[in-house]
Amino acid sequence: MYNDNPTLEGISKEINEQQQGEVYFKAGNSTGSKHFYIESYGCQMNFSDSEIVGSILGEAGFQPTRNMEIADLILINTCSIREKAEDTVRRRLRIFDQVKRQRPGTLVGVLGCMAERLKSKFLEEEQLVDLVVGPDAYRDLPKLVGSAEEGQKGVNVFLSREETYADISPLRLDSNGVAAFISIMRGCDNMCSFCVVPFTRGRERSRNTFSIIAEATDLFERGYREVTLLGQNVDSYKWENPETQKVVNFAQLLEMVANVHPDLRIRFSTSHPKDITDEVLYTMARYENICKYIHLPVQSGNSRILELMNRTYSREWYMERVQRIYEIMPDCAISSDIIAGFCSETEAEHQETLSMMAYANYSMSYMFFYSERPGTVAARKYPDDIPLAVKKKRLQEIIDLQGQISHEVNQGDLGKTFKVLIEGSSKRSDADWKGRNSQNKMVVFPKKGNHQAGDYVYVKIHEATSATLLGEMISAH
Ligand code: SAH
Ligand code: SF4
Ligand code: F3S
């Protein structure tokens, strides 16, 4: 979900497909001869935003390219979540610098969370940057690019209380034509003490329900079979219909998207443990096409640390939510985000994170050590006092335990048959398909019969590693 690497694999794949004569990008009415190149880092929201940017630039006459050397405009959509994420961006900027030297006139723009965090400081620090544009200012891109072409560097980091880009039909960039993201809300009001997102993304706001349903319907009609509803805290989705004053909550939204078509799978991310309701769980249970998978970041298994983190739930609260999930949906998979070595964390408190992982039986986790972010409550109030070596040791224990749990959970799938949505050929072999089951596990199996990406098939599992299930197709849907 979090990506610190450029999307190079996607890039080469798409170039190959273009060479085979397929029209890979549907760039709206973009007929222009200018090209933009975009790289995305960070969470799925950023990848989704890059598709909105693609659409806005398409309208302004830019075509996407996977080759930065022919681009008139090079964009990098950035992440500030940890120091490492920002370091990666700075390294990429050095590479763009070389391209710019070879092709003077190429514009370089920084988008996203790091643009928002550093604002015009970026222009001082990085001479090669021509544009700095925050997550709520993408509609302004064509104008800013126009000024930059005339030598006027541009910054727009205005954070909006309303912008949801509801009317913009995203240009699907790294798409496999099967699964797509739909952004349903923006911003975050939670103020977890370690987190930079509320500063880089602004206040929480929910997108018009009808525009979400329209986007899901359009995707289904274009052959997509899976949508992931995205927000930092999807369970607090709340949209008031201005005509009827009726409020749509997340459970109701889920149901409406599930009703678009039984063959359209629904996923969502991220759920906040304090906000995930039984109503959401029952809605999931009622619809076969709402995937039985919940990303429910715990961050820490200890109540004192959770309080310092301002997560607003305790260990017991989290355990009750996990229990409820398994009660209502025994086949549901749960995954997590975990931070090792938060300020003042003791060894005993770290052990509680490990025991929580075992209790929740996570199918997988994204695991990090704490990285202090400037301006956050934690940076202002709590000393970053756990030595790096201790943070790394605790993180390694967390990673090792997750490896074991994932392995065991996956061994439990041996002999089971899953409905799998084919996403494409497996990375390792063209003779195999890869796809996911409802629980979001990657399943790899030999091709046979007349199937294609976007088909549902049934696969019986006969082998499992901690990351992948291997099986055999048993019959078509
Ligand atoms: N909205 C999501 C998380 C978004 S950020 C949620 O509330 O769960 C993704 C993950 O990055 C977080 O869940 C957290 O585990 C991690 N993270 C955020 N800030 C961090 C920091 N300062 N240091 C280390 N990890 C961090
Ligand atoms: Fe950050 Fe917390 Fe908001 Fe998630 S819920 S984005 S961790 S402030
Ligand atoms: Fe990173 Fe911004 Fe997402 S900080 S994790 S790209 S919201």
Side-chain angles (χ1 to χ4, degrees):
M1 196 165 310
Y2 310 99
N3 187 356
D4 290 342
N5 299 306
T7 49
L8 289 176
E9 194 194 340
I11 293 167
S12 56
K13 177 173 155 271
E14 289 189 355
I15 289 171
N16 285 338
E17 292 186 31
Q18 279 176 327
Q19 282 166 350
Q20 285 159 17
E22 284 188 30
V23 181
Y24 206 78
F25 296 107
K26 292 203 181 108
N29 56 9
S30 102
T31 48
S33 54
K34 287 189 281 186
H35 288 90
F36 74 93
Y37 167 93
I38 189 163
E39 268 179 26
S40 307
Y41 295 83
C43 63
Q44 290 166 332
M45 296 285 310
N46 249 18
F47 285 76
S48 168
D49 278 3
S50 292
E51 301 188 331
I52 289 167
V53 166
S55 176
I56 291 169
L57 289 174
E59 295 288 323
F62 276 86
Q63 305 217 28
T65 174
R66 290 289 150 197
N67 180 0
M68 71 167 101
E69 276 153 32
I70 67 156
D72 304 278
L73 173 63
I74 298 179
L75 297 172
I76 181 158
N77 199 351
T78 60
C79 175
S80 287
I81 202 82
R82 286 167 290 276
E83 203 175 344
K84 200 175 135 230
E86 293 199 348
D87 294 344
T88 309
V89 168
R90 291 192 192 278
R91 273 201 306 279
R92 292 305 292 165
L93 287 173
R94 301 280 89 80
I95 306 281
F96 300 159
D97 205 7
Q98 289 164 17
V99 176
K100 200 170 165 158
R101 270 175 226 270
Q102 280 160 18
R103 266 189 107 222
T106 309
L107 298 176
V108 172
V110 180
L111 314 178
C113 292
M114 205 174 160
E116 191 63 52
R117 195 177 83 72
L118 292 170
K119 305 188 169 53
S120 53
K121 258 194 266 169
F122 236 121
L123 295 183
E124 294 150 30
E125 285 174 24
E126 304 279 350
Q127 293 302 315
L128 84 152
V129 173
D130 303 289
L131 299 164
V132 179
V133 189
D136 287 345
Y138 297 144
R139 287 182 202 267
D140 205 22
L141 257 170
K143 199 180 102 225
L144 291 168
V145 170
S147 310
E149 282 169 346
E150 260 133 50
Q152 183 77 37
K153 294 195 175 201
V155 179
N156 187 344
V157 287
F158 175 73
L159 281 176
S160 157
R161 277 177 174 251
E162 281 97 37
E163 182 61 273
T164 59
Y165 301 108
D167 56 316
I168 292 180
S169 171
L171 175 70
R172 303 293 166 186
L173 286 169
D174 271 322
S175 174
N176 56 8
V178 175
F181 297 133
I182 301 184
S183 174
I184 63 163
M185 55 206 294
R186 302 182 69 82
C188 183
D189 281 353
N190 279 324
M191 298 300 276
C192 300
S193 63
F194 53 78
C195 183
V196 79
V197 172
F199 303 96
T200 62
R201 294 261 164 183
R203 298 305 296 269
E204 181 183 291
R205 65 222 98 118
S206 295
R207 177 178 168 190
N208 177 320
T209 309
F210 299 117
S211 73
I212 297 170
I213 306 299
E215 192 172 330
T217 308
D218 175 62
L219 284 164
F220 183 77
E221 282 164 1
R222 283 162 49 197
Y224 285 81
R225 290 295 173 264
E226 185 179 296
V227 294
T228 303
L229 309 180
L230 291 183
Q232 293 299 350
N233 182 9
V234 288
D235 300 272
S236 69
Y237 177 86
K238 203 168 147 218
W239 182 73
E240 185 180 314
N241 185 333
E243 274 155 38
T244 61
Q245 268 77 55
K246 272 205 183 139
V247 173
V248 180
N249 70 16
F250 183 59
Q252 292 158 337
L253 175 73
L254 260 185
E255 178 148 30
M256 287 159 91
V257 183
N259 279 323
V260 166
H261 197 283
D263 281 341
L264 182 68
R265 267 185 173 181
I266 326 297
R267 299 188 186 279
F268 53 89
S269 190
T270 298
S271 294
H272 195 296
K274 79 175 158 68
D275 291 318
I276 189 160
T277 59
D278 283 4
E279 191 192 358
V280 166
L281 304 181
Y282 284 120
T283 308
M284 290 176 74
R286 254 197 331 273
Y287 285 87
E288 189 270 338
N289 59 333
I290 305 180
C291 291
K292 302 299 174 280
Y293 169 67
I294 301 178
H295 184 55
L296 195 71
V298 69
Q299 314 299 358
S300 162
N302 170 265
S303 294
R304 186 187 74 88
I305 293 294
L306 287 169
E307 194 169 338
L308 287 184
M309 287 176 163
N310 195 30
R311 287 292 285 181
T312 68
Y313 54 84
S314 62
R315 176 178 174 89
E316 290 68 33
W317 171 281
Y318 187 92
M319 286 173 133
E320 189 276 338
R321 290 289 78 200
V322 166
Q323 198 191 345
R324 207 78 186 100
I325 293 168
Y326 288 141
E327 241 167 61
I328 296 173
M329 291 170 288
D331 62 339
C332 192
I334 306 178
S335 62
S336 196
D337 292 349
I338 299 171
I339 300 178
F342 186 65
C343 314
S344 78
E345 185 189 65
T346 65
E347 178 58 30
E349 289 165 341
H350 161 64
Q351 291 297 328
E352 283 200 72
T353 296
L354 298 175
S355 67
M356 178 67 94
M357 294 170 67
Y359 176 84
N361 208 26
Y362 296 128
S363 60
M364 54 110 36
S365 292
Y366 298 96
M367 299 156 285
F368 319 99
F369 62 74
Y370 173 59
S371 162
E372 186 178 84
R373 307 312 293 133
T376 56
V377 170
R380 282 185 276 126
K381 280 176 56 178
Y382 313 128
D384 180 11
D385 54 359
I386 307 300
L388 187 61
V390 176
K391 284 182 182 173
K392 287 191 171 168
K393 179 179 148 283
R394 290 183 187 167
L395 176 61
Q396 195 55 50
E397 287 173 16
I398 290 170
I399 292 171
D400 292 346
L401 178 61
Q402 186 56 59
Q404 274 173 35
I405 297 174
S406 300
H407 184 78
E408 277 161 32
V409 168
N410 287 354
Q411 292 299 310
D413 287 338
L414 293 178
K416 288 189 189 162
T417 298
F418 292 110
K419 183 174 170 182
V420 174
L421 173 61
I422 301 180
E423 290 178 14
S425 293
S426 134
K427 256 188 236 165
R428 290 219 191 122
S429 158
D430 245 3
D432 291 338
W433 287 121
K434 67 165 183 192
R436 277 166 214 275
N437 67 3
S438 179
Q439 289 72 15
N440 206 34
K441 288 186 196 163
M442 189 55 83
V443 184
V444 174
F445 50 98
K447 292 180 181 176
K448 79 178 178 204
N450 228 347
H451 291 290
Q452 53 184 359
D455 285 353
Y456 288 103
V457 292
Y458 288 87
V459 179
K460 187 167 181 186
I461 305 306
H462 56 62
E463 209 182 314
T465 69
S466 58
T468 315
L469 303 178
L470 305 174
E472 201 76 42
M473 221 186 302
I474 56 168
S475 75
H477 173 51

